[in-house]
Amino acid sequence: MIRSKCWKVKKMFDGIPKDDDLELVDEILPDPKDGEMLIEALYLSVDPYMRIVLTESHIGGTMIGEQISRLTAYFGFLEICKPKKGEVVVINGAAGAIGSLVGQIAKIKGCKVIGFAGDDEKCKWMKDLGFDFAYNYKKVILDDVLKKSAPDGIDCFFDNVGGDFSVTVLQHMNSLGRVSICGIISLYNTNKVHSRPNEQPKDLYPIPSTVMDSKQLIISTYDVNKKWSDEQWKEGEKQIAEWIREGKIRYRETITDGIENMYTAFQGLFVGSNIGKALVKC
């Protein structure tokens, strides 16, 4: 008899995830049958997308985790934004697992990088990674700092946040600028997003008509698991590993100890508790 712990859905999320929405329960697992194997989890990933995945579950269902790959940053930036040397790149949520990687790839490609995060420690980390500008969005007026740090406009915008922040950035984009919508975490807890972000960009946040009409922006959402081939995945993984070995890419992890604290780690994603990748040590 094998005992395990898992988080079950007690109440469907309504707005911000609350303490009593999930409950930790003991489960008895069946013995493996011929041809099956039992795998012990040493670490679990917690990611904002889990908030959306739960809407596809049911009361009593298991809270499903979802690993966000480094290739989310790699393809979402290089294949959608198609950066060129000397271009200006803006990233929000820039101290997270994806945003921090995008910023470093942008520097490898010779771009000027402007990152935004929610506290001063995260901004220091971004500067350590080589970002040209790192702003605590809670302490600045976004429109003003974009005029200062990108006086000639923005060419590429890697968006992890959505909402009013993104609308402001769009108004500073250059003609034919490229926008990669990776996430819209500012909307996840509003119940406006009920599935993976495959909606049209105009449904995710209001894009001023003057921007759309005059700047001919290329704005794309994407699902990294569906858009690129296995061969492209192998090439991307190889390239990222090479950059890590060469010291061109660094990363941080925020590790929470114990599966009983998984939900706390998950809730912390929505208030910016993590720097880099958020993991739970089982």
Side-chain angles (χ1 to χ4, degrees), residues 8-223:
K8 294 285 188 179
V9 179
K10 189 175 180 182
K11 293 192 302 185
M12 300 302 290
F13 289 155
D14 181 15
I16 297 173
K18 302 171 184 63
D19 291 344
D20 58 352
D21 287 342
L22 300 185
E23 60 180 342
L24 185 65
V25 302
D26 289 321
E27 271 194 338
I28 297 177
L29 303 179
D31 293 330
K33 300 176 183 178
D34 289 343
E36 295 181 341
M37 67 176 65
L38 184 66
I39 299 175
E40 180 183 7
L42 300 180
Y43 290 86
L44 297 174
S45 172
V46 287
D47 300 286
Y49 270 133
M50 293 165 64
R51 169 66 174 83
I52 300 176
V53 172
L54 185 69
T55 65
E56 302 167 3
S57 185
H58 58 276
I59 302 298
T62 301
M63 178 70 166
I64 302 298
E66 178 156 311
Q67 173 64 45
I68 302 299
S69 168
R70 287 190 177 114
L71 293 180
T72 302
Y74 181 86
F75 289 126
F77 180 57
L78 294 180
E79 296 294 323
I80 292 179
C81 288
K82 299 186 183 301
K84 303 178 183 66
K85 184 177 181 179
E87 289 192 322
V88 176
V89 177
V90 167
I91 308 160
N92 51 21
I98 301 301
S100 60
L101 180 53
V102 169
Q104 292 176 86
I105 294 174
K107 292 306 300 179
I108 290 171
K109 296 299 179 179
C111 298
K112 176 181 177 180
V113 179
I114 305 167
F116 291 88
D119 67 47
D120 293 342
E121 182 184 357
K122 292 180 179 182
C123 290
K124 182 179 183 302
W125 165 239
M126 289 187 286
K127 292 292 289 185
D128 289 344
L129 294 178
F131 285 42
D132 297 278
F133 295 91
Y135 295 109
N136 181 341
Y137 70 87
K138 298 176 182 178
K139 294 184 175 182
V140 299
I141 297 174
L142 180 57
D143 193 60
D144 290 346
V145 297
L146 290 177
K147 289 176 182 177
K148 174 184 176 181
S149 54
D152 297 321
I154 298 162
D155 301 294
C156 303
F157 175 32
F158 194 89
D159 189 6
N160 291 300
V161 175
D164 292 340
F165 186 108
S166 301
V167 172
T168 299
V169 174
L170 291 177
Q171 297 180 69
H172 288 263
M173 298 290 294
N174 287 326
S175 179
L176 299 177
R178 289 85 67 201
V179 180
S180 178
I181 302 177
C182 177
I184 47 174
I185 193 170
S186 70
L187 301 180
Y188 290 165
N189 292 324
T190 65
N191 294 329
K192 292 181 180 179
V193 182
H194 299 290
S195 61
R196 298 173 189 276
N198 293 324
E199 297 91 342
Q200 294 298 313
K202 62 182 174 57
D203 297 326
L204 302 179
Y205 46 67
I207 302 171
S209 59
T210 54
V211 172
M212 292 300 294
D213 293 342
S214 65
K215 297 190 177 182
Q216 305 178 70
L217 302 181
I218 300 169
I219 303 177
S220 302
T221 60
Y222 65 100
D223 185 336

